[in-house]
Amino acid sequence: MESTGPHPLDLRIPIAQAPIGGSTCPELAAAVSNAGGLGALALSWSDPTASSHKVLTTRALTDRLFYGNFALAFEPVSLVSALAAGLPCVTFSFGDPSPWVDAVRLAGAFLGIQVGSAAEARRMVGLEPDFLICQGVEAGGHLQSDRALGDVLAEVLDLATSIPVFAAGGLATGKDLRRALDLGAAGGVFGTRFLATHESRAHDALKARLLEAKPDDTAVTDCFDGGWPDTPHRVLVNGTLRAWRAAGEPRDGRPGEGEVVGRYPDGDVALRYAMDHPTHGVTGDVLDMCLYAGTSVGAIHDLPPAGDLVRRLWAEAQGRPESGF
Ligand SMILES: Cc1cc2nc3c(=O)[nH]c(=O)nc-3n(C[C@H](O)[C@H](O)[C@H](O)COP(=O)(O)O)c2cc1C
């Protein structure tokens, strides 16, 4: 499928940034959107005041479309304030968005819903979203799918009929995007790739770790369940995961349980086995925190400005050298 024509969301470039938790920020979202892609804020854990501020700041940096994500394993406590602040597009993941669809529609915002299986897609098309996001098991972070992206995407596309479907999981290069577009996706969602950018709030030590990681350095586990239980996640294998595995993966009495591995500038702490990943300003044994990353990590070799990355990925996807863009 050629995506050079008008895009359903009026994107000039069919590249979406994934909601990469605390590593999102207005500067990253705006850089992606200003370059022609779709920037994102992860708002699941922001209180109403903080979400409103993030939306207003992003709107001051771009007049283009961006979205806020709510993972519905958590009550979307800041949805109303984010919409009131002018959030132009919302995506929901990890739960049933039915109770929240009217609020999004009444605010006039676009609606996207993430699915990870044909069964979920069948339920979600009934809510008539503006787009779906199909996540495959290659993805970094929490997983809604246990199947390869190519397999689940084919099934979701069949069910979605005229609803555009973005592909997420394991995409790091323009060639990866081209493959997803050729399968019929309306665009590609890149998470780990945007962690390794200039604007991302990922901790410098995590950015450095991403650059040296090999394709086989990730694993799917339920090790880092503090704050978000019962949901598998893909991470870089680190000291915490290795020690837990060596101990036989016990649920109780885990090695180093309760230890502080990260301290935030505001005094908050991250405990070993917590869901938090290291962001800017955290001190401590930050590489023992949860290091979310997709299988895409082996193809990440630099820390470019996010806008340059969007343009480069799109040039690669079109088979053009970067300098030709
Ligand atoms: C650090 C990190 C944080 C994430 N946080 C969220 C989140 O808040 N909500 C969500 O729906 N998905 C989240 N994800 C998953 C992404 O939305 C996306 O599915 C994934 O990054 C795609 O795979 P990739 O990392 O290989 O590009 C996160 C992923 C990463 C790497």
Side-chain angles (χ1 to χ4, degrees):
M1 178 176 131
E2 189 48 71
S3 288
T4 49
H7 194 272
L9 299 172
D10 265 343
L11 301 180
R12 282 183 293 146
I13 295 180
I15 290 176
Q17 175 217 324
I20 43 174
S23 286
T24 61
C25 58
E27 292 74 17
L28 175 58
V32 173
S33 292
N34 283 334
L38 184 61
L41 298 170
L43 299 177
S44 308
W45 305 279
S46 289
D47 66 31
T49 309
S51 276
S52 170
H53 182 69
K54 287 175 190 175
V55 170
L56 292 171
T57 307
T58 309
R59 288 186 60 197
L61 296 172
T62 184
D63 55 8
R64 294 183 180 277
L65 194 67
F66 65 94
Y67 70 97
N69 167 258
F70 295 87
L72 293 175
F74 305 84
E75 182 82 8
V77 289
S78 67
L79 175 65
V80 170
S81 74
L83 288 169
L87 181 64
C89 179
V90 174
T91 70
F92 293 114
S93 50
F94 298 97
D96 176 11
S98 327
W100 316 107
V101 166
D102 284 352
V104 176
R105 292 300 188 202
L106 278 172
F110 286 108
L111 171 67
I113 303 178
Q114 177 167 287
V115 299
S117 65
E120 276 185 337
R122 211 168 280 121
R123 285 198 300 276
M124 296 311 157
V125 293
L127 298 176
E128 300 181 4
D130 297 296
F131 61 104
L132 291 171
I133 299 155
C134 176
Q135 191 204 41
V137 73
E138 299 90 339
H142 287 80
L143 294 172
Q144 228 172 301
S145 179
D146 56 8
R147 298 186 50 215
L149 176 61
D151 295 343
V152 68
L153 180 62
E155 295 178 10
V156 169
L157 282 165
D158 271 352
L159 292 159
T161 57
S162 62
I163 300 172
V165 181
F166 282 71
L171 312 185
T173 67
K175 284 186 181 151
D176 296 335
L177 173 61
R178 170 48 53 201
R179 271 193 296 277
L181 295 174
D182 287 345
L183 288 172
V189 180
F190 293 71
T192 308
R193 180 55 274 201
F194 280 109
L195 270 184
T197 57
H198 184 72
E199 291 87 345
S200 130
R201 293 192 69 255
H203 195 284
D204 284 346
L206 171 55
K207 291 184 183 180
R209 181 75 190 85
L210 292 170
L211 294 188
E212 67 193 24
K214 314 250 177 333
D216 293 342
D217 286 357
T218 72
V220 175
T221 182
D222 57 357
C223 176
F224 297 93
D225 63 353
W228 189 345
D230 306 321
T231 308
H233 33 276
R234 185 179 290 280
V235 296
L236 287 172
V237 176
N238 66 357
T240 300
L241 180 53
R242 265 192 296 272
W244 181 61
R245 283 175 162 177
E249 306 196 356
R251 292 276 36 127
D252 298 317
R254 298 186 282 191
E257 181 108 57
E259 281 173 9
V260 171
V261 285
R263 289 182 191 281
Y264 290 86
D266 66 1
D268 268 6
V269 295
L271 300 181
R272 200 179 290 282
Y273 303 107
M275 60 177 280
D276 314 68
H277 73 278
T279 47
H280 188 68
V282 178
T283 56
D285 299 324
V286 296
L287 291 179
D288 280 346
M289 293 172 68
C290 180
L291 308 179
Y292 300 113
T295 57
S296 51
V297 70
I300 296 175
H301 306 297
D302 59 358
L303 298 172
D308 289 357
L309 176 62
V310 170
R311 288 183 283 269
R312 183 175 88 198
L313 291 171
W314 186 224
E316 280 172 11
Q318 294 174 298
R320 287 195 276 129
E322 188 186 348
S323 58
F325 187 78

